[in-house]
């Protein structure tokens, strides 16, 4: 989860010379960053270096990344006219550079290391498009959802179709698994998730399923509506650290695979505490019939993390 990023000295070195968008736009550089964690960490899979917000460029929302502030959207969506004005575009023409990076990374990766492609889920993308950047309360997003439900559903269905097709394009380029990131969906009530979001996530995942590769459905803070979140789709359900992994299996059924669920902050804990948490997850995941387990963090590696601590967790999981 964000295994390539600012916590890695090699990545910071490249970032001194290139902006994050430059890294994403260059298939050669994006492939290079994708490979950085494989050798350094010994992880089992690579995730293509890109960002969930890249489709905002062809959608002409005006995407920027401000140092220390995260993403900024210059022309946020505020009303029905803004949604109707969203252009249609060719994924191949406008986001083909991501597929080119996938082709290059696939060729450079060892055969036994699968490459994961990804996209943002309709809700999380809509939240950035409406707020104009990161948010703590998602006030504008939820107000839009309640005040203009028809326009909301139109926006999310446009994003669902777009992301479903974008994921299929990534699989055609060589991605061997696909991950849909719904990072901020945990801000919703269970009822609102079911009414305003789940049908669109379901649509995006159903389209992506046409690619015939495993789908990972990622969310944070979903424990209050985990059954509905899992029902929206995905061969693998990703959970954060707010629910024990065995309790999550009981809720969604033992045949479903789960990804998770170490707290990224555990990587800042003393080694003994960190390792205790890793072993606890492995113990709770052991000996179950059916669906598998992708050991992962519940969210991205934090910039202040020591690379050796990440490596130690990878080694501990492999040796257990
Ligand atoms: O190894 C990898 O996972 C790298 C590829 C990757 C990036 N973004 C690169 C990136 C992935 C999978 C993402 C997904 C992404 N982007 C999500 C979903 C997953 C999650 O973390 O919740 C979201 C919500 C975004 C939007 C985004 N992009 C934010 C909020 C930020 C700012 C984060 C910060 O801490 O400043 C970004 C920028 C970004 N995208 C970075 C990276 C490595 C930060 C590093 C940099 O500025 O160079």
């Amino acid at each position: 989860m964000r295994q390539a990023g600012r916590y890695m000295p090699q990545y910071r070195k490249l970032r001194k010379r290139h902006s994050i968008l430059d890294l994403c736009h260059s298939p050669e550089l994006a492939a290079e960053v994708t490979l950085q964690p494989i050798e350094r960490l010994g992880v089992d899979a690579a995730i293509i270096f890109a960002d969930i917000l890249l489709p905002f460029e062809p959608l002409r929302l005006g995407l920027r990344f401000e140092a220390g502030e995260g993403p900024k959207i210059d022309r946020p969506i505020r009303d029905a006219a803004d949604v109707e004005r969203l252009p249609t575009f060719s994924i191949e023409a406008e986001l083909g550079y991501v597929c080119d990076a996938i082709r290059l990374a696939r060729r450079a990766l060892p055969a036994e290391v699968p490459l994961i492609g990804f996209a943002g889920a309709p809700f999380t993308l809509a939240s950035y498009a409406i707020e104009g950047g990161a948010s703590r309360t998602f006030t504008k997003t939820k107000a839009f959802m309640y005040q203009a439900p028809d326009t909301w559903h139109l926006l999310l269905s446009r994003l669902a179709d777009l992301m479903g097709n974008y994921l299929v394009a990534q699989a055609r380029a060589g991605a061997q698994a696909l991950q849909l990131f719904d990072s901020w969906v945990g801000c919703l009530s269970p009822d609102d998730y079911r009414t305003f979001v789940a049908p669109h996530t379901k649509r995006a995942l159903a389209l992506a399923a046409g690619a015939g590769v495993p789908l990972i459905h990622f969310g944070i803070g979903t424990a209050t509506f985990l059954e509905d979140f899992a029902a929206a789709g995905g061969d693998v359900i990703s959970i954060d650290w707010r629910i024990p992994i065995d309790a999550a299996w009981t809720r969604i059924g033992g045949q479903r695979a789960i990804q998770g669920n170490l707290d990224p902050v555990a990587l800042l804990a003393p080694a003994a505490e960190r390792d205790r948490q890793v072993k606890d997850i492995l113990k709770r995941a052991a000996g179950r019939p059916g669906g598998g387990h992708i050991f992962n963090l519940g969210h991205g590696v934090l910039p202040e993390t020591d690379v050796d601590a990440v490596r130690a967790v990878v080694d501990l999981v492999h040796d257990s």
Side-chain angles (χ1 to χ4, degrees), residues 242-287:
R242 292 174 181 87
I243 176 171
I245 195 164
D246 46 346
W249 260 305
T250 306
R251 299 256 306 272
I252 67 172
Q255 297 307 309
R256 207 70 168 276
I258 293 190
Q259 168 172 276
N261 69 337
L262 187 69
D263 185 342
V265 182
L267 291 167
L268 308 182
E273 171 59 18
R274 176 194 74 211
D275 292 353
R276 186 195 65 75
Q277 293 195 25
V278 172
K279 285 181 193 155
D280 182 61
I281 292 169
L282 293 172
K283 194 172 102 218
R284 289 172 190 274

Side-chain angles (χ1 to χ4, degrees), residues 130-206:
I130 294 169
E131 303 286 340
S135 173
R136 231 166 15 90
T137 54
F138 299 91
T139 312
K140 293 189 181 81
T141 307
K142 293 188 198 179
F144 193 114
M145 183 175 95
Y146 294 133
Q147 290 169 7
D150 292 348
T151 307
W152 169 267
H153 283 296
L154 180 65
L155 172 61
L156 266 74
S157 59
R158 288 274 322 260
L159 293 171
D161 283 356
L162 185 56
M163 292 309 124
N165 292 326
Y166 177 41
L167 287 169
V168 171
Q170 292 182 53
R172 288 208 185 109
Q176 293 142 299
L178 298 168
Q179 183 153 201
L180 190 75
F181 284 105
D182 215 349
S183 305
W184 310 132
V185 77
C187 73
L188 294 173
S189 73
D191 257 2
D192 286 347
Y193 178 73
R194 257 193 308 272
T195 307
F196 292 103
V197 175
H200 305 291
T201 306
K202 199 170 178 175
R203 164 89 181 144
L205 287 169

Side-chain angles (χ1 to χ4, degrees), residues 2-4 6 11 15 20 47 50-51 118 128 183 299:
R2 287 274 172 87
Q3 56 189 20
R6 278 171 305 199
Y11 176 81
R15 277 285 275 111
I20 174 148
I47 182 158
D51 196 86
F118 70 90
Y128 281 107
S183 305
H299 203 181

Side-chain angles (χ1 to χ4, degrees):
M1 205 64 68
R2 287 274 172 87
Q3 56 189 20
R6 278 171 305 199
Y7 78 102
M8 288 194 105
Q10 286 163 288
Y11 176 81
R12 283 202 304 271
K13 205 170 142 203
L14 265 183
R15 277 285 275 111
K16 275 197 192 130
R17 283 187 286 132
H18 309 278
S19 71
I20 174 148
L21 283 176
D22 286 346
L23 290 181
C24 292
H25 289 155
S26 157
E28 289 76 20
L29 290 173
E32 183 184 338
V33 177
T34 303
L35 265 81
Q36 282 180 347
I38 304 309
E39 217 179 296
R40 182 67 182 84
L41 304 179
V43 285
D44 296 320
I47 182 158
I48 192 65
F49 190 80
D51 196 86
I52 62 163
L53 302 178
L54 295 174
F56 284 5
E57 294 187 299
L59 286 173
R60 298 194 202 123
L61 296 177
L63 172 66
R64 287 183 290 124
F65 286 96
E66 292 279 304
E69 282 184 64
K72 288 272 178 281
I73 285 82
D74 287 331
R75 293 179 289 282
I77 291 175
R78 289 289 145 78
D79 55 29
D82 291 339
V83 175
E84 276 148 26
R85 213 177 306 145
L86 290 173
T88 50
F89 63 87
S90 148
I91 288 169
E92 209 171 305
E94 303 289 341
L95 294 167
Y97 63 87
V98 175
C99 295
D100 290 340
I102 288 173
R103 286 186 198 95
L104 288 180
R106 185 55 273 163
R107 233 178 288 149
L109 281 164
E112 70 278 11
V113 176
L115 178 60
I116 304 169
F118 70 90
F123 176 81
T124 290
L125 289 181
S127 80
Y128 281 107
I130 294 169
E131 303 286 340
S135 173
R136 231 166 15 90
T137 54
F138 299 91
T139 312
K140 293 189 181 81
T141 307
K142 293 188 198 179
F144 193 114
M145 183 175 95
Y146 294 133
Q147 290 169 7
D150 292 348
T151 307
W152 169 267
H153 283 296
L154 180 65
L155 172 61
L156 266 74
S157 59
R158 288 274 322 260
L159 293 171
D161 283 356
L162 185 56
M163 292 309 124
N165 292 326
Y166 177 41
L167 287 169
V168 171
Q170 292 182 53
R172 288 208 185 109
Q176 293 142 299
L178 298 168
Q179 183 153 201
L180 190 75
F181 284 105
D182 215 349
S183 305
W184 310 132
V185 77
C187 73
L188 294 173
S189 73
D191 257 2
D192 286 347
Y193 178 73
R194 257 193 308 272
T195 307
F196 292 103
V197 175
H200 305 291
T201 306
K202 199 170 178 175
R203 164 89 181 144
L205 287 169
L207 278 172
V213 302
L215 304 180
I216 307 167
H217 185 187
F218 176 89
I220 310 258
T222 58
T224 51
F225 51 84
L226 195 60
E227 294 83 353
D228 290 306
F229 183 78
D235 301 292
V236 184
I237 301 304
S238 194
I239 55 165
D240 73 10
W241 53 94
R242 292 174 181 87
I243 176 171
I245 195 164
D246 46 346
W249 260 305
T250 306
R251 299 256 306 272
I252 67 172
Q255 297 307 309
R256 207 70 168 276
I258 293 190
Q259 168 172 276
N261 69 337
L262 187 69
D263 185 342
V265 182
L267 291 167
L268 308 182
E273 171 59 18
R274 176 194 74 211
D275 292 353
R276 186 195 65 75
Q277 293 195 25
V278 172
K279 285 181 193 155
D280 182 61
I281 292 169
L282 293 172
K283 194 172 102 218
R284 289 172 190 274
R288 280 169 331 92
H293 174 212
I294 299 175
F295 188 97
N296 209 327
L297 305 184
H299 203 181
V301 181
L302 297 162
E304 47 274 75
T305 306
D306 180 351
V307 185
D308 288 330
V310 187
R311 174 89 216 191
V313 167
V314 174
D315 290 343
L316 178 57
V317 173
H318 281 155
D319 294 343
S320 296

